[in-house]
Amino acid sequence: MITDNPTLMADIRGRFAHVETCPVAGPRVFFENAGGALTLNSVVETSNHFAAIPDNQGRDNEMAHELVRVINQAKDDMRVFFNAPEGDIFAGESGTELLFRLIMNAILETEDGGVVLGSTLEHPATRSACTRWAKVAGKPYVQVPHNDATGCVTAEDYIPHLRPDIRVATILHTSPVTGMGVDVAAVAKAIRSVAPDAIIIVDGIQHASHGLIDIKGYDIDGYVISPYKVFSRHGYGIAWTSPRLNALPHDSLIGGPEGNWELGTRDTGAYATMSNVVEYFDWLGGQVSDAQDKRARIEAAGAAIHDHEQALTNAMIFGTGNLAGLADLPGVGIIGGEDNPAREGLVSITLEGTDAPDLVTALRARGIRTHTRKADHYSGNILDPLGLPSAVRVSMCHYNSVAEVSAFLQAMREIVDGAAS
């Protein structure tokens, strides 16, 4: 396990930029990974390299040919990472933009009538797209209520809302507010059992950095990630689309390649940095397993990441060394409960008598970077039913250490004691 291997932990941390220090603020513990993970050093180097190249794809010169090769290699790498032997993989403006595009085309181009299905757990990227385009298409939008106590939604929650005329369904893989993961395969199976022809699109943006993606095992039609949340950089998103979704009419250049989703010249550097990400998962899998196959190493990396992040969240909630965990600190509330097996590297908390923004500031003053989630268009669907105006999101990733959790708990102890005095 990563947790018990200090040499491996040091090697992992050495592969990322700004692990321990902010270029502006100086030393800090980075527990704001849900807002954007740390960036691989290799991604920084690759981005700089391709930013300086003036050539475009499709020309008769060596560099143009190399750009095409790099893009094709990246797509092959991502097929292994996603476990998606069929369908297309392409880049867009952002994960949110790609979700809007996929959902729009699915709703508009599927059979008239019927309904669009989602859940109240979902990020506004899917909820907003479904709300807008379901209204345009005259297809009612049905939202499955999530469980407020667990901060999650299950296949069993979907079952009472399933009907044969579901045209499009969306699933959130992991909540960026509660941190709880959804069993995508189980939810998709339940939907298919009643509406086998539904187009199913998954928001994988929050999940991608926390472990395994297995599109072949999900029986879905679309999956979207935001690379800046999985060790790459801002400025683009990545989507996978099934042959069935590709066959639906969508925006493309007249006379261009059939089924193409890409509009305009592609950013070769964006694709190349996804190869860096896949190479990293491959490397990590080789450190934690003896697997000989690339996909098997990626699966091993996902399992190791999950186990380490579970160790971090357990230490944060239940304590480590002689430090009390959040569960034992007076006045601290934990969204989704203390013992929740669906949690993926994230703990959202409240502190009685202290507004969330003030708690974030107090933690920042002690060198701990976290983030406020307000009951707004991003998080109101989660916080409003709980009667919370805001909460503090403490989000970790596998390069974070138990020592950093200890620093956070020490800071929380000081803050709680100060509030009580």
Side-chain angles (χ1 to χ4, degrees), residues 68-90 238 240 271-272 274-276 278-279 282 294-295 298:
V68 172
R69 186 201 66 77
V70 168
I71 291 170
N72 290 336
Q73 180 63 57
K75 291 187 176 186
D76 289 343
D77 291 339
M78 285 187 281
R79 285 190 185 283
V80 180
F81 179 63
F82 287 136
N83 197 25
E86 297 184 325
D88 286 352
I89 294 173
F90 57 95
I238 293 290
W240 168 84
Y271 280 101
M274 282 309 298
S275 283
N276 294 142
V278 179
E279 287 165 4
D282 187 10
K294 186 174 183 178
R295 174 62 191 178
I298 290 171

PDB file of all heavy atoms in Angstrom, residues 68-90 238 240 271-272 274-276 278-279 282 294-295 298:
ATOM      1  N   VAL A  68       0.077  14.425 -35.799  1.00  0.00           N
ATOM      2  CA  VAL A  68      -0.981  13.426 -35.994  1.00  0.00           C
ATOM      3  C   VAL A  68      -0.657  12.145 -35.236  1.00  0.00           C
ATOM      4  O   VAL A  68      -1.519  11.532 -34.591  1.00  0.00           O
ATOM      5  CB  VAL A  68      -1.178  13.139 -37.502  1.00  0.00           C
ATOM      6  CG1 VAL A  68      -2.136  11.966 -37.701  1.00  0.00           C
ATOM      7  CG2 VAL A  68      -1.709  14.371 -38.216  1.00  0.00           C
ATOM      8  N   ARG A  69       0.617  11.746 -35.299  1.00  0.00           N
ATOM      9  CA  ARG A  69       1.019  10.534 -34.583  1.00  0.00           C
ATOM     10  C   ARG A  69       0.796  10.698 -33.078  1.00  0.00           C
ATOM     11  O   ARG A  69       0.299   9.786 -32.406  1.00  0.00           O
ATOM     12  CB  ARG A  69       2.499  10.229 -34.845  1.00  0.00           C
ATOM     13  CG  ARG A  69       2.959   8.886 -34.247  1.00  0.00           C
ATOM     14  CD  ARG A  69       4.454   8.816 -34.068  1.00  0.00           C
ATOM     15  NE  ARG A  69       4.960   9.758 -33.079  1.00  0.00           N
ATOM     16  CZ  ARG A  69       4.856   9.571 -31.762  1.00  0.00           C
ATOM     17  NH1 ARG A  69       4.269   8.485 -31.269  1.00  0.00           N
ATOM     18  NH2 ARG A  69       5.348  10.473 -30.929  1.00  0.00           N
ATOM     19  N   VAL A  70       1.161  11.859 -32.538  1.00  0.00           N
ATOM     20  CA  VAL A  70       1.006  12.111 -31.104  1.00  0.00           C
ATOM     21  C   VAL A  70      -0.466  12.050 -30.698  1.00  0.00           C
ATOM     22  O   VAL A  70      -0.821  11.459 -29.664  1.00  0.00           O
ATOM     23  CB  VAL A  70       1.618  13.479 -30.742  1.00  0.00           C
ATOM     24  CG1 VAL A  70       1.206  13.906 -29.326  1.00  0.00           C
ATOM     25  CG2 VAL A  70       3.135  13.426 -30.847  1.00  0.00           C
ATOM     26  N   ILE A  71      -1.338  12.642 -31.508  1.00  0.00           N
ATOM     27  CA  ILE A  71      -2.774  12.620 -31.207  1.00  0.00           C
ATOM     28  C   ILE A  71      -3.311  11.199 -31.248  1.00  0.00           C
ATOM     29  O   ILE A  71      -4.048  10.759 -30.346  1.00  0.00           O
ATOM     30  CB  ILE A  71      -3.544  13.522 -32.198  1.00  0.00           C
ATOM     31  CG1 ILE A  71      -3.210  14.990 -31.928  1.00  0.00           C
ATOM     32  CG2 ILE A  71      -5.054  13.289 -32.085  1.00  0.00           C
ATOM     33  CD1 ILE A  71      -3.726  15.944 -32.988  1.00  0.00           C
ATOM     34  N   ASN A  72      -2.944  10.449 -32.264  1.00  0.00           N
ATOM     35  CA  ASN A  72      -3.421   9.070 -32.368  1.00  0.00           C
ATOM     36  C   ASN A  72      -2.901   8.208 -31.220  1.00  0.00           C
ATOM     37  O   ASN A  72      -3.619   7.353 -30.695  1.00  0.00           O
ATOM     38  CB  ASN A  72      -3.009   8.476 -33.707  1.00  0.00           C
ATOM     39  CG  ASN A  72      -3.769   9.081 -34.877  1.00  0.00           C
ATOM     40  OD1 ASN A  72      -4.875   9.603 -34.689  1.00  0.00           O
ATOM     41  ND2 ASN A  72      -3.201   9.026 -36.061  1.00  0.00           N
ATOM     42  N   GLN A  73      -1.637   8.448 -30.833  1.00  0.00           N
ATOM     43  CA  GLN A  73      -1.078   7.710 -29.699  1.00  0.00           C
ATOM     44  C   GLN A  73      -1.837   8.027 -28.417  1.00  0.00           C
ATOM     45  O   GLN A  73      -2.134   7.132 -27.608  1.00  0.00           O
ATOM     46  CB  GLN A  73       0.398   8.049 -29.525  1.00  0.00           C
ATOM     47  CG  GLN A  73       1.072   7.321 -28.363  1.00  0.00           C
ATOM     48  CD  GLN A  73       1.082   5.829 -28.546  1.00  0.00           C
ATOM     49  OE1 GLN A  73       1.598   5.328 -29.541  1.00  0.00           O
ATOM     50  NE2 GLN A  73       0.488   5.090 -27.595  1.00  0.00           N
ATOM     51  N   ALA A  74      -2.162   9.302 -28.225  1.00  0.00           N
ATOM     52  CA  ALA A  74      -2.904   9.691 -27.025  1.00  0.00           C
ATOM     53  C   ALA A  74      -4.277   9.027 -26.989  1.00  0.00           C
ATOM     54  O   ALA A  74      -4.738   8.580 -25.931  1.00  0.00           O
ATOM     55  CB  ALA A  74      -3.046  11.210 -26.966  1.00  0.00           C
ATOM     56  N   LYS A  75      -4.946   8.962 -28.130  1.00  0.00           N
ATOM     57  CA  LYS A  75      -6.257   8.308 -28.165  1.00  0.00           C
ATOM     58  C   LYS A  75      -6.117   6.823 -27.841  1.00  0.00           C
ATOM     59  O   LYS A  75      -6.959   6.253 -27.125  1.00  0.00           O
ATOM     60  CB  LYS A  75      -6.911   8.519 -29.526  1.00  0.00           C
ATOM     61  CG  LYS A  75      -7.339   9.961 -29.771  1.00  0.00           C
ATOM     62  CD  LYS A  75      -8.136  10.109 -31.047  1.00  0.00           C
ATOM     63  CE  LYS A  75      -8.633  11.538 -31.218  1.00  0.00           C
ATOM     64  NZ  LYS A  75      -9.544  11.699 -32.374  1.00  0.00           N
ATOM     65  N   ASP A  76      -5.068   6.183 -28.356  1.00  0.00           N
ATOM     66  CA  ASP A  76      -4.834   4.778 -28.021  1.00  0.00           C
ATOM     67  C   ASP A  76      -4.561   4.617 -26.530  1.00  0.00           C
ATOM     68  O   ASP A  76      -5.058   3.674 -25.891  1.00  0.00           O
ATOM     69  CB  ASP A  76      -3.654   4.236 -28.826  1.00  0.00           C
ATOM     70  CG  ASP A  76      -3.973   4.057 -30.303  1.00  0.00           C
ATOM     71  OD1 ASP A  76      -5.171   4.038 -30.654  1.00  0.00           O
ATOM     72  OD2 ASP A  76      -3.017   3.951 -31.096  1.00  0.00           O
ATOM     73  N   ASP A  77      -3.765   5.519 -25.961  1.00  0.00           N
ATOM     74  CA  ASP A  77      -3.480   5.464 -24.530  1.00  0.00           C
ATOM     75  C   ASP A  77      -4.756   5.617 -23.713  1.00  0.00           C
ATOM     76  O   ASP A  77      -4.966   4.893 -22.716  1.00  0.00           O
ATOM     77  CB  ASP A  77      -2.482   6.560 -24.142  1.00  0.00           C
ATOM     78  CG  ASP A  77      -1.092   6.322 -24.701  1.00  0.00           C
ATOM     79  OD1 ASP A  77      -0.760   5.172 -25.032  1.00  0.00           O
ATOM     80  OD2 ASP A  77      -0.335   7.313 -24.822  1.00  0.00           O
ATOM     81  N   MET A  78      -5.606   6.547 -24.101  1.00  0.00           N
ATOM     82  CA  MET A  78      -6.834   6.777 -23.356  1.00  0.00           C
ATOM     83  C   MET A  78      -7.811   5.619 -23.491  1.00  0.00           C
ATOM     84  O   MET A  78      -8.601   5.353 -22.574  1.00  0.00           O
ATOM     85  CB  MET A  78      -7.470   8.100 -23.775  1.00  0.00           C
ATOM     86  CG  MET A  78      -6.739   9.316 -23.221  1.00  0.00           C
ATOM     87  SD  MET A  78      -7.589  10.876 -23.537  1.00  0.00           S
ATOM     88  CE  MET A  78      -7.135  11.192 -25.247  1.00  0.00           C
ATOM     89  N   ARG A  79      -7.778   4.916 -24.613  1.00  0.00           N
ATOM     90  CA  ARG A  79      -8.626   3.728 -24.745  1.00  0.00           C
ATOM     91  C   ARG A  79      -8.276   2.702 -23.669  1.00  0.00           C
ATOM     92  O   ARG A  79      -9.153   2.067 -23.086  1.00  0.00           O
ATOM     93  CB  ARG A  79      -8.460   3.102 -26.127  1.00  0.00           C
ATOM     94  CG  ARG A  79      -9.145   3.854 -27.233  1.00  0.00           C
ATOM     95  CD  ARG A  79      -9.161   3.082 -28.541  1.00  0.00           C
ATOM     96  NE  ARG A  79      -9.730   3.913 -29.584  1.00  0.00           N
ATOM     97  CZ  ARG A  79     -11.017   4.155 -29.733  1.00  0.00           C
ATOM     98  NH1 ARG A  79     -11.881   3.595 -28.882  1.00  0.00           N
ATOM     99  NH2 ARG A  79     -11.464   4.929 -30.687  1.00  0.00           N
ATOM    100  N   VAL A  80      -6.976   2.549 -23.420  1.00  0.00           N
ATOM    101  CA  VAL A  80      -6.546   1.618 -22.380  1.00  0.00           C
ATOM    102  C   VAL A  80      -6.953   2.145 -21.011  1.00  0.00           C
ATOM    103  O   VAL A  80      -7.453   1.405 -20.157  1.00  0.00           O
ATOM    104  CB  VAL A  80      -5.030   1.393 -22.455  1.00  0.00           C
ATOM    105  CG1 VAL A  80      -4.578   0.424 -21.360  1.00  0.00           C
ATOM    106  CG2 VAL A  80      -4.623   0.866 -23.821  1.00  0.00           C
ATOM    107  N   PHE A  81      -6.743   3.428 -20.772  1.00  0.00           N
ATOM    108  CA  PHE A  81      -7.079   4.040 -19.488  1.00  0.00           C
ATOM    109  C   PHE A  81      -8.573   3.915 -19.189  1.00  0.00           C
ATOM    110  O   PHE A  81      -8.978   3.562 -18.078  1.00  0.00           O
ATOM    111  CB  PHE A  81      -6.661   5.510 -19.510  1.00  0.00           C
ATOM    112  CG  PHE A  81      -6.975   6.271 -18.253  1.00  0.00           C
ATOM    113  CD1 PHE A  81      -6.390   5.924 -17.045  1.00  0.00           C
ATOM    114  CD2 PHE A  81      -7.842   7.354 -18.274  1.00  0.00           C
ATOM    115  CE1 PHE A  81      -6.667   6.628 -15.882  1.00  0.00           C
ATOM    116  CE2 PHE A  81      -8.127   8.071 -17.122  1.00  0.00           C
ATOM    117  CZ  PHE A  81      -7.539   7.701 -15.927  1.00  0.00           C
ATOM    118  N   PHE A  82      -9.414   4.193 -20.191  1.00  0.00           N
ATOM    119  CA  PHE A  82     -10.871   4.110 -20.027  1.00  0.00           C
ATOM    120  C   PHE A  82     -11.384   2.675 -20.120  1.00  0.00           C
ATOM    121  O   PHE A  82     -12.518   2.408 -19.754  1.00  0.00           O
ATOM    122  CB  PHE A  82     -11.577   4.941 -21.095  1.00  0.00           C
ATOM    123  CG  PHE A  82     -11.495   6.427 -20.919  1.00  0.00           C
ATOM    124  CD1 PHE A  82     -11.228   7.243 -22.004  1.00  0.00           C
ATOM    125  CD2 PHE A  82     -11.695   7.020 -19.686  1.00  0.00           C
ATOM    126  CE1 PHE A  82     -11.160   8.624 -21.871  1.00  0.00           C
ATOM    127  CE2 PHE A  82     -11.636   8.392 -19.530  1.00  0.00           C
ATOM    128  CZ  PHE A  82     -11.365   9.196 -20.616  1.00  0.00           C
ATOM    129  N   ASN A  83     -10.580   1.764 -20.642  1.00  0.00           N
ATOM    130  CA  ASN A  83     -11.034   0.428 -21.022  1.00  0.00           C
ATOM    131  C   ASN A  83     -12.201   0.549 -22.000  1.00  0.00           C
ATOM    132  O   ASN A  83     -13.299   0.024 -21.773  1.00  0.00           O
ATOM    133  CB  ASN A  83     -11.434  -0.422 -19.821  1.00  0.00           C
ATOM    134  CG  ASN A  83     -11.499  -1.898 -20.170  1.00  0.00           C
ATOM    135  OD1 ASN A  83     -10.847  -2.364 -21.107  1.00  0.00           O
ATOM    136  ND2 ASN A  83     -12.291  -2.658 -19.410  1.00  0.00           N
ATOM    137  N   ALA A  84     -11.933   1.229 -23.097  1.00  0.00           N
ATOM    138  CA  ALA A  84     -12.956   1.534 -24.101  1.00  0.00           C
ATOM    139  C   ALA A  84     -12.458   1.142 -25.487  1.00  0.00           C
ATOM    140  O   ALA A  84     -11.987   1.995 -26.258  1.00  0.00           O
ATOM    141  CB  ALA A  84     -13.297   3.020 -24.059  1.00  0.00           C
ATOM    142  N   PRO A  85     -12.543  -0.148 -25.840  1.00  0.00           N
ATOM    143  CA  PRO A  85     -12.013  -0.587 -27.141  1.00  0.00           C
ATOM    144  C   PRO A  85     -12.799  -0.068 -28.324  1.00  0.00           C
ATOM    145  O   PRO A  85     -12.269   0.004 -29.438  1.00  0.00           O
ATOM    146  CB  PRO A  85     -12.087  -2.110 -27.051  1.00  0.00           C
ATOM    147  CG  PRO A  85     -13.128  -2.395 -26.000  1.00  0.00           C
ATOM    148  CD  PRO A  85     -13.025  -1.273 -25.025  1.00  0.00           C
ATOM    149  N   GLU A  86     -14.082   0.286 -28.127  1.00  0.00           N
ATOM    150  CA  GLU A  86     -14.916   0.808 -29.207  1.00  0.00           C
ATOM    151  C   GLU A  86     -15.268   2.265 -28.943  1.00  0.00           C
ATOM    152  O   GLU A  86     -15.046   2.792 -27.865  1.00  0.00           O
ATOM    153  CB  GLU A  86     -16.192  -0.021 -29.336  1.00  0.00           C
ATOM    154  CG  GLU A  86     -15.967  -1.468 -29.722  1.00  0.00           C
ATOM    155  CD  GLU A  86     -17.272  -2.213 -29.916  1.00  0.00           C
ATOM    156  OE1 GLU A  86     -18.234  -1.913 -29.186  1.00  0.00           O
ATOM    157  OE2 GLU A  86     -17.324  -3.087 -30.793  1.00  0.00           O
ATOM    158  N   GLY A  87     -15.849   2.922 -29.961  1.00  0.00           N
ATOM    159  CA  GLY A  87     -16.283   4.302 -29.817  1.00  0.00           C
ATOM    160  C   GLY A  87     -15.178   5.298 -30.111  1.00  0.00           C
ATOM    161  O   GLY A  87     -14.082   4.925 -30.535  1.00  0.00           O
ATOM    162  N   ASP A  88     -15.478   6.572 -29.895  1.00  0.00           N
ATOM    163  CA  ASP A  88     -14.542   7.656 -30.185  1.00  0.00           C
ATOM    164  C   ASP A  88     -14.094   8.343 -28.903  1.00  0.00           C
ATOM    165  O   ASP A  88     -14.823   8.381 -27.908  1.00  0.00           O
ATOM    166  CB  ASP A  88     -15.199   8.695 -31.103  1.00  0.00           C
ATOM    167  CG  ASP A  88     -15.320   8.214 -32.539  1.00  0.00           C
ATOM    168  OD1 ASP A  88     -14.762   7.148 -32.853  1.00  0.00           O
ATOM    169  OD2 ASP A  88     -15.981   8.901 -33.337  1.00  0.00           O
ATOM    170  N   ILE A  89     -12.896   8.934 -28.963  1.00  0.00           N
ATOM    171  CA  ILE A  89     -12.357   9.752 -27.873  1.00  0.00           C
ATOM    172  C   ILE A  89     -11.906  11.069 -28.480  1.00  0.00           C
ATOM    173  O   ILE A  89     -11.198  11.074 -29.492  1.00  0.00           O
ATOM    174  CB  ILE A  89     -11.189   9.050 -27.168  1.00  0.00           C
ATOM    175  CG1 ILE A  89     -11.686   7.797 -26.441  1.00  0.00           C
ATOM    176  CG2 ILE A  89     -10.500   9.990 -26.186  1.00  0.00           C
ATOM    177  CD1 ILE A  89     -10.591   6.946 -25.843  1.00  0.00           C
ATOM    178  N   PHE A  90     -12.333  12.178 -27.891  1.00  0.00           N
ATOM    179  CA  PHE A  90     -11.991  13.479 -28.471  1.00  0.00           C
ATOM    180  C   PHE A  90     -11.959  14.553 -27.394  1.00  0.00           C
ATOM    181  O   PHE A  90     -12.512  14.394 -26.302  1.00  0.00           O
ATOM    182  CB  PHE A  90     -12.990  13.869 -29.565  1.00  0.00           C
ATOM    183  CG  PHE A  90     -14.425  13.922 -29.119  1.00  0.00           C
ATOM    184  CD1 PHE A  90     -15.000  15.116 -28.708  1.00  0.00           C
ATOM    185  CD2 PHE A  90     -15.201  12.774 -29.120  1.00  0.00           C
ATOM    186  CE1 PHE A  90     -16.317  15.163 -28.299  1.00  0.00           C
ATOM    187  CE2 PHE A  90     -16.533  12.809 -28.716  1.00  0.00           C
ATOM    188  CZ  PHE A  90     -17.092  13.998 -28.301  1.00  0.00           C
ATOM    189  N   ILE A 238     -12.166  15.897 -22.068  1.00  0.00           N
ATOM    190  CA  ILE A 238     -12.082  14.684 -22.871  1.00  0.00           C
ATOM    191  C   ILE A 238     -13.402  13.931 -22.767  1.00  0.00           C
ATOM    192  O   ILE A 238     -13.949  13.757 -21.671  1.00  0.00           O
ATOM    193  CB  ILE A 238     -10.936  13.763 -22.397  1.00  0.00           C
ATOM    194  CG1 ILE A 238      -9.577  14.417 -22.654  1.00  0.00           C
ATOM    195  CG2 ILE A 238     -11.018  12.392 -23.062  1.00  0.00           C
ATOM    196  CD1 ILE A 238      -9.187  14.517 -24.119  1.00  0.00           C
ATOM    197  N   TRP A 240     -15.577  10.355 -24.206  1.00  0.00           N
ATOM    198  CA  TRP A 240     -15.708   9.102 -24.944  1.00  0.00           C
ATOM    199  C   TRP A 240     -17.167   8.952 -25.352  1.00  0.00           C
ATOM    200  O   TRP A 240     -18.070   9.244 -24.552  1.00  0.00           O
ATOM    201  CB  TRP A 240     -15.307   7.903 -24.076  1.00  0.00           C
ATOM    202  CG  TRP A 240     -15.702   6.586 -24.721  1.00  0.00           C
ATOM    203  CD1 TRP A 240     -15.014   5.889 -25.650  1.00  0.00           C
ATOM    204  CD2 TRP A 240     -16.923   5.863 -24.489  1.00  0.00           C
ATOM    205  NE1 TRP A 240     -15.713   4.757 -26.021  1.00  0.00           N
ATOM    206  CE2 TRP A 240     -16.887   4.719 -25.319  1.00  0.00           C
ATOM    207  CE3 TRP A 240     -18.033   6.064 -23.670  1.00  0.00           C
ATOM    208  CZ2 TRP A 240     -17.933   3.783 -25.355  1.00  0.00           C
ATOM    209  CZ3 TRP A 240     -19.070   5.137 -23.704  1.00  0.00           C
ATOM    210  CH2 TRP A 240     -19.017   4.018 -24.529  1.00  0.00           C
ATOM    211  N   TYR A 271      -3.818  16.629 -26.099  1.00  0.00           N
ATOM    212  CA  TYR A 271      -3.810  15.176 -26.243  1.00  0.00           C
ATOM    213  C   TYR A 271      -2.535  14.577 -25.652  1.00  0.00           C
ATOM    214  O   TYR A 271      -2.566  13.562 -24.952  1.00  0.00           O
ATOM    215  CB  TYR A 271      -3.927  14.795 -27.717  1.00  0.00           C
ATOM    216  CG  TYR A 271      -5.335  14.849 -28.260  1.00  0.00           C
ATOM    217  CD1 TYR A 271      -5.776  15.929 -29.017  1.00  0.00           C
ATOM    218  CD2 TYR A 271      -6.227  13.818 -28.014  1.00  0.00           C
ATOM    219  CE1 TYR A 271      -7.063  15.986 -29.516  1.00  0.00           C
ATOM    220  CE2 TYR A 271      -7.519  13.861 -28.509  1.00  0.00           C
ATOM    221  CZ  TYR A 271      -7.940  14.945 -29.261  1.00  0.00           C
ATOM    222  OH  TYR A 271      -9.220  14.995 -29.752  1.00  0.00           O
ATOM    223  N   ALA A 272      -1.400  15.198 -25.944  1.00  0.00           N
ATOM    224  CA  ALA A 272      -0.119  14.653 -25.484  1.00  0.00           C
ATOM    225  C   ALA A 272      -0.050  14.590 -23.966  1.00  0.00           C
ATOM    226  O   ALA A 272       0.534  13.650 -23.401  1.00  0.00           O
ATOM    227  CB  ALA A 272       1.032  15.493 -26.035  1.00  0.00           C
ATOM    228  N   MET A 274      -2.472  13.971 -21.990  1.00  0.00           N
ATOM    229  CA  MET A 274      -3.222  12.805 -21.522  1.00  0.00           C
ATOM    230  C   MET A 274      -2.387  11.539 -21.636  1.00  0.00           C
ATOM    231  O   MET A 274      -2.541  10.614 -20.831  1.00  0.00           O
ATOM    232  CB  MET A 274      -4.532  12.664 -22.285  1.00  0.00           C
ATOM    233  CG  MET A 274      -5.625  13.623 -21.830  1.00  0.00           C
ATOM    234  SD  MET A 274      -5.921  13.618 -20.034  1.00  0.00           S
ATOM    235  CE  MET A 274      -6.443  11.919 -19.758  1.00  0.00           C
ATOM    236  N   SER A 275      -1.492  11.489 -22.609  1.00  0.00           N
ATOM    237  CA  SER A 275      -0.540  10.366 -22.640  1.00  0.00           C
ATOM    238  C   SER A 275       0.347  10.385 -21.404  1.00  0.00           C
ATOM    239  O   SER A 275       0.656   9.336 -20.818  1.00  0.00           O
ATOM    240  CB  SER A 275       0.326  10.424 -23.904  1.00  0.00           C
ATOM    241  OG  SER A 275      -0.387   9.979 -25.042  1.00  0.00           O
ATOM    242  N   ASN A 276       0.755  11.593 -20.960  1.00  0.00           N
ATOM    243  CA  ASN A 276       1.534  11.707 -19.723  1.00  0.00           C
ATOM    244  C   ASN A 276       0.753  11.148 -18.534  1.00  0.00           C
ATOM    245  O   ASN A 276       1.322  10.462 -17.673  1.00  0.00           O
ATOM    246  CB  ASN A 276       1.885  13.156 -19.432  1.00  0.00           C
ATOM    247  CG  ASN A 276       2.829  13.780 -20.435  1.00  0.00           C
ATOM    248  OD1 ASN A 276       2.698  14.956 -20.787  1.00  0.00           O
ATOM    249  ND2 ASN A 276       3.793  13.016 -20.923  1.00  0.00           N
ATOM    250  N   VAL A 278      -1.701   8.891 -18.550  1.00  0.00           N
ATOM    251  CA  VAL A 278      -1.803   7.433 -18.647  1.00  0.00           C
ATOM    252  C   VAL A 278      -0.460   6.780 -18.309  1.00  0.00           C
ATOM    253  O   VAL A 278      -0.402   5.750 -17.626  1.00  0.00           O
ATOM    254  CB  VAL A 278      -2.293   7.010 -20.042  1.00  0.00           C
ATOM    255  CG1 VAL A 278      -2.362   5.489 -20.150  1.00  0.00           C
ATOM    256  CG2 VAL A 278      -3.666   7.617 -20.334  1.00  0.00           C
ATOM    257  N   GLU A 279       0.625   7.393 -18.770  1.00  0.00           N
ATOM    258  CA  GLU A 279       1.963   6.877 -18.441  1.00  0.00           C
ATOM    259  C   GLU A 279       2.181   6.868 -16.931  1.00  0.00           C
ATOM    260  O   GLU A 279       2.801   5.942 -16.385  1.00  0.00           O
ATOM    261  CB  GLU A 279       3.033   7.747 -19.107  1.00  0.00           C
ATOM    262  CG  GLU A 279       3.130   7.561 -20.617  1.00  0.00           C
ATOM    263  CD  GLU A 279       3.929   8.672 -21.275  1.00  0.00           C
ATOM    264  OE1 GLU A 279       4.460   9.545 -20.540  1.00  0.00           O
ATOM    265  OE2 GLU A 279       3.997   8.696 -22.512  1.00  0.00           O
ATOM    266  N   ASP A 282       0.267   4.006 -15.427  1.00  0.00           N
ATOM    267  CA  ASP A 282       0.991   2.792 -15.799  1.00  0.00           C
ATOM    268  C   ASP A 282       2.213   2.611 -14.888  1.00  0.00           C
ATOM    269  O   ASP A 282       2.472   1.510 -14.364  1.00  0.00           O
ATOM    270  CB  ASP A 282       1.408   2.889 -17.264  1.00  0.00           C
ATOM    271  CG  ASP A 282       2.013   1.610 -17.812  1.00  0.00           C
ATOM    272  OD1 ASP A 282       1.946   0.563 -17.131  1.00  0.00           O
ATOM    273  OD2 ASP A 282       2.561   1.652 -18.924  1.00  0.00           O
ATOM    274  N   LYS A 294      -0.476  -3.551 -19.572  1.00  0.00           N
ATOM    275  CA  LYS A 294      -0.670  -2.127 -19.263  1.00  0.00           C
ATOM    276  C   LYS A 294      -2.001  -1.873 -18.570  1.00  0.00           C
ATOM    277  O   LYS A 294      -2.069  -1.129 -17.583  1.00  0.00           O
ATOM    278  CB  LYS A 294      -0.564  -1.300 -20.545  1.00  0.00           C
ATOM    279  CG  LYS A 294      -0.608   0.202 -20.327  1.00  0.00           C
ATOM    280  CD  LYS A 294      -0.338   0.928 -21.638  1.00  0.00           C
ATOM    281  CE  LYS A 294      -0.304   2.439 -21.447  1.00  0.00           C
ATOM    282  NZ  LYS A 294       0.017   3.153 -22.711  1.00  0.00           N
ATOM    283  N   ARG A 295      -3.071  -2.454 -19.085  1.00  0.00           N
ATOM    284  CA  ARG A 295      -4.376  -2.253 -18.462  1.00  0.00           C
ATOM    285  C   ARG A 295      -4.377  -2.814 -17.038  1.00  0.00           C
ATOM    286  O   ARG A 295      -4.929  -2.199 -16.119  1.00  0.00           O
ATOM    287  CB  ARG A 295      -5.477  -2.908 -19.296  1.00  0.00           C
ATOM    288  CG  ARG A 295      -6.875  -2.869 -18.660  1.00  0.00           C
ATOM    289  CD  ARG A 295      -7.388  -1.447 -18.451  1.00  0.00           C
ATOM    290  NE  ARG A 295      -8.588  -1.432 -17.621  1.00  0.00           N
ATOM    291  CZ  ARG A 295      -9.227  -0.340 -17.236  1.00  0.00           C
ATOM    292  NH1 ARG A 295      -8.781   0.844 -17.618  1.00  0.00           N
ATOM    293  NH2 ARG A 295     -10.298  -0.418 -16.492  1.00  0.00           N
ATOM    294  N   ILE A 298      -2.749  -0.356 -14.791  1.00  0.00           N
ATOM    295  CA  ILE A 298      -3.639   0.776 -14.513  1.00  0.00           C
ATOM    296  C   ILE A 298      -4.689   0.380 -13.480  1.00  0.00           C
ATOM    297  O   ILE A 298      -5.014   1.162 -12.568  1.00  0.00           O
ATOM    298  CB  ILE A 298      -4.290   1.265 -15.823  1.00  0.00           C
ATOM    299  CG1 ILE A 298      -3.236   1.942 -16.702  1.00  0.00           C
ATOM    300  CG2 ILE A 298      -5.452   2.215 -15.544  1.00  0.00           C
ATOM    301  CD1 ILE A 298      -3.698   2.283 -18.096  1.00  0.00           C
TER     302      ILE A 298
END
